[in-house]
Amino acid sequence: MKKELGIDRFIKNLISKYLFEVCMLAMIFAATVIRCEFASETTLSPDYESYYKPWVDFYRQNGIIKGLGNAIGDYYVPLNVLYALCSLLPVEPWLPLSVVTYVCEMLSACSIYGIFYVLTGRKHHSMFAGVATLFLPFVAFNGSLWKQVDSIYTCFILISIYHMLKQHYRASFIWYGVAFAVKLQSVIFLPVLIILYITEGFHSYDKVVKDSQARNSFSILEFLWIPAIYLMAGLPEVLCGNGLRRTYLSYLYQTRELDSEGYGMVSFFPNLYNLGLDDYDSLLSTAAIMLTFAVFIIITFTCYRKKDNLDKRTVLYLAIWTAWTCVVLLPGMHERYDYSVLLLLTPFAILLRKKILWPMFIANICSLAVYAKTLFRAGDLINMPVVSLFYVAAYLYVTIDILKLINGDTGEKYGEA
């Protein structure tokens, strides 16, 4: 028998010990190659040539101090600072923007790993779930191809959720405050924090024990971290002379885009307003907001009455559902606003709640259809009312499921992979 070479023995031992880790690194390499292929493509993005590149050019022409003092665009200060810093590099803006968004996608993948390791205790399953999110179409398209920044605020939301599940509430609020200061869309995860305050936290154990000592509540003063971080984040523009009103009312001006830019009730987002209601924003916007408010009153009351059924898995499910409710019911939603929702829903369905696999799959397909319509000019192939029907149906199925779970219906249990 031929003697095995030392190098073959070394490689085989390496494979035997670290095959999983090597596979994960190979997947990360593949995800990186995909981003490199997408990053230099700027013509498909509906926003890069019209907004992001001119913004960076504005800072190049005026300098950072003068540029921030006359902040262009409607983003809040952290993203304006990002564009200002991009102007310092002697490269096209798409390069640093793509690098930053990919770093945040990687941070999100690490947070997904941490979240589901806390929930399942399964290291390899959780690690694979985190890495696999890099290949979700909306993740790959959003930052590298569209040049959008949804991965930036989302990574901070996921870090916040990780600390929330660990019951490190102060850290959770601080990271949520960072996410909120980056982008207004982070507000869709605020309802779950309010619900947890009212229910005095959640049970620490997977098996619910009716023992108040098993809960870990937090003070209402923790919510002050959100405006405090928002105010601190605005200081660069204030110090550069942008003015208090123009700086700190940035989010208020963003909410007025519904009227000023003629979006209607929805901007290519597959929610129920695509079913013939888009042009009635002046009539329906307030009603839509109040409907969302009423839904949250109902779910908050239900959670309070059934708070003994709340454990960390149900809390994550609740965070996903409350955020999803916002993007389905609130007016003025854009194509990408369920980014963070689907990023959590997808591994949650696969690892913990297999009965919602089909709704999760449908929601991802609908998201892909929207990206195809926006980026790849597939408008003739995509019927938004039909896509919206499927999307809303998936949301309603998940709504019924989580209500049964919170109410403790017999047979409603989690199933792991």
Side-chain angles (χ1 to χ4, degrees):
M1 186 175 180
K2 189 177 180 180
K3 186 177 180 181
E4 186 177 45
L5 296 177
I7 188 171
D8 293 321
R9 188 164 54 253
F10 172 78
I11 293 174
K12 289 179 181 179
N13 287 335
L14 190 67
I15 291 173
S16 176
K17 291 181 179 179
Y18 303 108
L19 178 60
F20 181 81
E21 287 76 8
V22 171
C23 289
M24 292 299 98
L25 288 175
M27 289 181 66
I28 292 173
F29 172 77
T32 305
V33 171
I34 291 173
R35 269 66 175 185
C36 291
E37 187 72 17
F38 287 167
S40 59
E41 169 55 55
T42 60
T43 61
L44 293 179
S45 170
D47 298 316
Y48 178 76
E49 296 289 348
S50 301
Y51 299 102
Y52 309 137
K53 189 176 186 300
W55 291 350
V56 173
D57 290 340
F58 176 82
Y59 289 107
R60 282 176 174 164
Q61 295 166 7
N62 295 277
I64 290 182
I65 294 178
K66 185 178 179 181
L68 290 176
N70 298 273
I72 191 172
D74 59 358
Y75 281 153
Y76 192 49
V77 182
L79 290 179
N80 290 338
V81 170
L82 171 63
Y83 291 115
L85 293 176
C86 288
S87 71
L88 299 177
L89 302 175
V91 295
E92 286 296 310
W94 59 261
L95 181 56
L97 287 176
S98 298
V99 171
V100 170
T101 56
Y102 186 41
V103 168
C104 290
E105 289 166 14
M106 290 295 298
L107 289 174
S108 294
C110 292
S111 298
I112 291 289
Y113 159 69
I115 288 169
F116 286 94
Y117 187 51
V118 167
L119 296 181
T120 68
R122 297 186 173 188
K123 182 178 180 180
H124 285 178
H125 286 73
S126 303
M127 190 180 298
F128 177 78
V131 173
T133 59
L134 297 174
F135 294 88
L136 291 170
F138 67 89
V139 176
F141 292 153
N142 186 282
S144 298
L145 195 56
W146 199 333
K147 312 300 185 289
Q148 279 289 350
V149 292
D150 295 282
S151 65
I152 300 179
Y153 77 87
T154 295
C155 77
F156 297 126
I157 285 177
L158 295 182
I159 296 172
S160 172
I161 289 175
Y162 170 77
H163 285 289
M164 179 180 70
L165 297 176
K166 297 281 287 184
Q167 296 184 324
H168 303 155
Y169 290 118
R170 178 158 297 175
S172 179
F173 273 95
I174 290 173
W175 284 110
Y176 177 78
V178 174
F180 183 77
V182 171
K183 217 161 187 291
L184 174 60
Q185 283 70 48
S186 301
V187 76
I188 64 176
F189 282 91
L190 182 60
V192 74
L193 296 174
I194 297 173
I195 291 172
L196 284 183
Y197 173 74
I198 292 173
T199 60
E200 300 179 275
F202 59 94
H203 286 285
S204 305
Y205 309 105
D206 292 324
K207 183 178 180 181
V208 176
V209 179
K210 292 185 178 180
D211 177 6
S212 61
Q213 298 303 315
R215 309 182 83 87
N216 185 9
S217 59
F218 55 90
S219 170
I220 197 171
L221 296 180
E222 300 294 350
F223 284 93
L224 294 178
W225 284 105
I226 302 171
I229 293 172
Y230 182 84
L231 291 173
M232 287 188 289
L235 288 178
E237 281 189 9
V238 172
L239 295 175
C240 289
N242 191 42
L244 293 173
R245 180 185 294 272
R246 190 176 174 200
T247 298
Y248 290 123
L249 295 184
S250 174
Y251 285 170
L252 178 62
Y253 299 145
Q254 287 184 32
T255 61
R256 291 177 179 173
E257 288 181 357
L258 190 66
D259 298 323
S260 63
E261 299 193 17
Y263 286 135
M265 285 296 288
V266 65
S267 177
F268 296 117
F269 187 82
N271 63 17
L272 55 85
Y273 303 117
N274 274 299
L275 307 179
L277 305 176
D278 190 24
D279 296 332
Y280 297 94
D281 49 291
S282 60
L283 176 65
L284 298 178
S285 291
T286 301
I289 295 170
M290 290 299 102
L291 173 62
T292 309
F293 182 61
V295 169
F296 283 142
I297 290 175
I298 293 170
I299 196 66
T300 302
F301 180 75
T302 302
C303 288
Y304 182 78
R305 288 186 64 247
K306 301 291 183 177
K307 60 184 178 181
D308 288 333
N309 294 332
L310 294 183
D311 61 10
K312 56 191 175 185
R313 296 181 179 186
T314 307
V315 165
L316 178 59
Y317 199 5
L318 187 63
I320 295 168
W321 178 83
T322 52
W324 204 2
T325 298
C326 287
V327 295
V328 168
L329 295 183
L330 287 175
M333 295 294 105
H334 288 221
E335 303 91 333
R336 318 166 323 272
Y337 284 3
D338 61 351
Y339 181 102
S340 52
V341 175
L342 296 184
L343 195 59
L344 283 168
L345 176 66
T346 303
F348 183 82
I350 294 171
L351 293 180
L352 290 173
R353 198 69 177 164
K354 287 186 170 50
K355 68 180 300 181
I356 61 170
L357 277 173
W358 276 109
M360 176 275 291
F361 181 74
I362 289 171
N364 273 278
I365 292 297
C366 291
S367 173
L368 177 58
V370 170
Y371 275 76
K373 181 181 178 71
T374 307
L375 295 176
F376 302 109
R377 317 297 190 257
D380 293 338
L381 301 176
I382 307 298
N383 186 309
M384 283 304 295
V386 173
V387 172
S388 300
L389 279 174
F390 279 96
Y391 190 86
V392 173
Y395 163 77
L396 291 176
Y397 184 96
V398 169
T399 299
I400 294 170
D401 181 58
I402 193 173
L403 285 173
K404 288 181 179 179
L405 195 61
I406 293 173
N407 278 288
D409 286 6
T410 304
E412 295 300 324
K413 298 179 180 179
Y414 292 101
E416 294 185 7

